Amino acid sequence: AYRERERERERRRARMVTTGKVVARRWKATRGASKRGGVANAATECKYTKRSNKDCKATRKKVKGLQANSVSRPRQRRESGFGDSVKASASADFGPSGSEENGETLHTLPKFVAYIRAVLFIAWTSLLSLPLICVMIAVSPFVYLFDRKRRRLNHLVNQVWAWLSILPFFRVKISGRENLPPSTTGAVYVANHQSIMDIFVLFLLGKPFKFVSKIEVFYVPIIGLAMYLTGHVALKRMDGRSQAQTFKQCINLLKEGVSILVFPEGTRSRDGKIKAFKSGAFKMARRGEAPVVPISLDGTSKVMPHGSGFLRFYPGVVNITIHEATQLTTDVDEWMQGTKEQISSAM
């Protein structure tokens, strides 16, 4: 019995070794060529199936040719990589429009040029912020006395700041301005969230509004002070009590005729597709008896993509579509889904 068990163990080891060799041979046959038309798969079939010799010889020749090309390609890339990048940067369009094909902006710029554009944008908007924040501080006492809720003058300074910041880098097209409610009417502006540039382009609507932002942004120099002077709402995201206070504050602002801007997705979309909406903005609108104005933002994710690493800034065109206001309904989920479909229709 002991000898029989030893023999069985030896058979298992032999089978495992044989199976490993077969797998290794198949992997070598398919490596480097499986993505180039399936020629390697045909070569594998020649080894392990009965096919005619002529077909197998022709297939082996194709595999050898592909393997030779895959070996020589890295050298060609190393030799021509720097020259190609310089040629691409020399021929790229540095204007604010970029290149367009079928209405979509194509990233014709190399990455290092996009990095340089991002640095220039940060430097330019920082330079603009110094005189404009002084203007906001100077007019804040008068704004606080005569227009404490809406703070339209401070919002106008923010609008000029945003317009001058994006003017040298990309263009913005706005359609449906007639659907915006009067400035004295409180409304909930609901927009999809793609990029940091969303706030900049939404300031160009020309209507004063407040938006809810995490409290950490208020600690950023100059930007946090500008947000505080304009009266935007701070939120501690991990604090339930702060969320309840923010919700009540927004409802009171709506009842007093102040508009609120909300991104119902909660965060930026990485792929540009609209995520599931959260119901907080719609409950806020129902409690504040305010209409919901859907806004479609298309193109901000192409101008400044959302992702890890250093910021990149490409030229292009951002389209803003303002839809007709949706009125109150008893079913929040149905109301939310209808608003999402409206926003998606212009993407």
Side-chain angles (χ1 to χ4, degrees):
Y2 173 76
R3 290 175 181 173
E4 188 62 31
R5 286 196 299 270
E6 288 295 325
R7 292 193 194 97
E8 184 63 27
R9 288 175 185 169
E10 291 295 332
R11 293 192 198 99
R12 289 179 182 174
R13 289 172 188 165
R15 282 199 297 268
M16 291 174 64
V17 170
T18 305
T19 304
K21 290 181 179 179
V22 171
V23 171
R25 286 200 302 271
R26 289 183 179 178
W27 182 79
K28 287 181 180 179
T30 57
R31 182 180 58 181
S34 59
K35 296 182 180 180
R36 304 187 192 105
V39 179
N41 296 331
T44 307
E45 291 179 4
C46 287
K47 284 188 177 183
Y48 303 105
T49 59
K50 294 182 180 179
R51 293 180 59 184
S52 63
N53 293 331
K54 291 183 180 180
D55 294 342
C56 288
K57 287 180 181 179
T59 305
R60 290 192 191 99
K61 287 182 180 180
K62 291 182 181 180
V63 171
K64 288 180 180 179
L66 290 172
Q67 289 175 351
N69 291 335
S70 63
V71 171
S72 61
R73 277 176 185 172
R75 292 182 180 177
Q76 295 174 359
R77 289 175 184 169
R78 284 196 297 270
E79 291 172 358
S80 62
F82 180 76
D84 291 342
S85 62
V86 173
K87 289 179 182 178
S89 63
S91 62
D93 185 8
F94 290 88
S97 61
S99 62
E100 297 180 16
E101 183 176 340
N102 298 328
E104 296 185 358
T105 304
L106 302 178
H107 294 164
T108 58
L109 293 181
K111 277 190 176 181
F112 75 91
V113 179
Y115 296 149
I116 294 173
R117 285 173 58 86
V119 172
L120 292 175
F121 172 78
I122 295 171
W124 172 241
T125 189
S126 301
L127 182 63
L128 291 173
S129 65
L130 296 177
L132 292 175
I133 195 66
C134 294
V135 174
M136 292 183 68
I137 294 173
V139 302
S140 288
F142 303 97
V143 171
Y144 188 78
L145 287 175
F146 300 105
D147 193 11
R148 185 180 303 181
K149 296 298 180 182
R150 294 190 183 90
R151 306 188 185 186
R152 285 169 285 190
L153 187 55
N154 282 342
H155 185 85
L156 179 62
V157 176
N158 285 327
Q159 182 179 346
V160 173
W161 187 358
W163 180 73
L164 291 176
S165 297
I166 67 179
L167 182 62
F169 297 97
F170 63 91
R171 291 182 293 142
V172 179
K173 295 182 180 179
I174 303 176
S175 58
R177 284 184 181 271
E178 64 278 3
N179 295 324
L180 288 171
S183 300
T184 56
T185 303
V188 179
Y189 298 131
V190 174
N192 58 305
H193 201 8
Q194 294 185 342
S195 172
I196 303 174
M197 290 293 105
D198 294 344
I199 295 294
F200 281 84
V201 299
L202 286 172
F203 271 122
L204 303 184
L205 295 178
K207 297 291 182 179
F209 58 81
K210 314 297 180 194
F211 61 84
V212 181
S213 177
K214 57 184 179 181
I215 196 170
E216 290 82 5
V217 181
F218 284 79
Y219 299 143
V220 178
I222 300 179
I223 295 177
L225 179 59
M227 292 174 63
Y228 174 76
L229 294 176
T230 312
H232 296 296
V233 184
L235 171 67
K236 295 179 181 178
R237 292 191 295 179
M238 304 305 294
D239 189 351
R241 183 178 297 178
S242 174
Q243 293 176 3
Q245 291 176 352
T246 301
F247 188 77
K248 292 179 181 178
Q249 183 180 355
C250 292
I251 292 173
N252 293 332
L253 288 173
L254 288 172
K255 290 181 178 180
E256 293 173 356
V258 181
S259 299
I260 304 292
L261 171 66
V262 181
F263 297 112
E265 296 170 272
T267 184
R268 287 171 288 172
S269 174
R270 289 185 175 273
D271 55 1
K273 297 180 180 179
I274 300 178
K275 297 182 178 180
F277 280 7
K278 297 179 181 179
S279 59
F282 301 91
K283 293 178 180 178
M284 183 194 308
R286 186 172 63 179
R287 293 278 297 274
E289 298 179 354
V292 171
V293 181
I295 299 175
S296 301
L297 299 177
D298 188 19
T300 52
S301 62
K302 300 172 185 175
V303 169
M304 183 171 281
H306 172 50
S308 59
F310 197 75
L311 291 177
R312 290 167 292 163
F313 209 149
Y314 295 95
V317 180
V318 175
N319 295 304
I320 303 177
T321 305
I322 305 165
H323 304 274
E324 294 183 1
T326 58
Q327 299 301 323
L328 304 175
T329 58
T330 55
D331 191 356
V332 174
D333 293 335
E334 182 181 353
W335 191 14
M336 182 171 59
Q337 187 63 29
T339 304
K340 183 180 178 181
E341 291 176 358
Q342 271 187 299
I343 294 175
S344 302
S345 63
M347 298 294 294

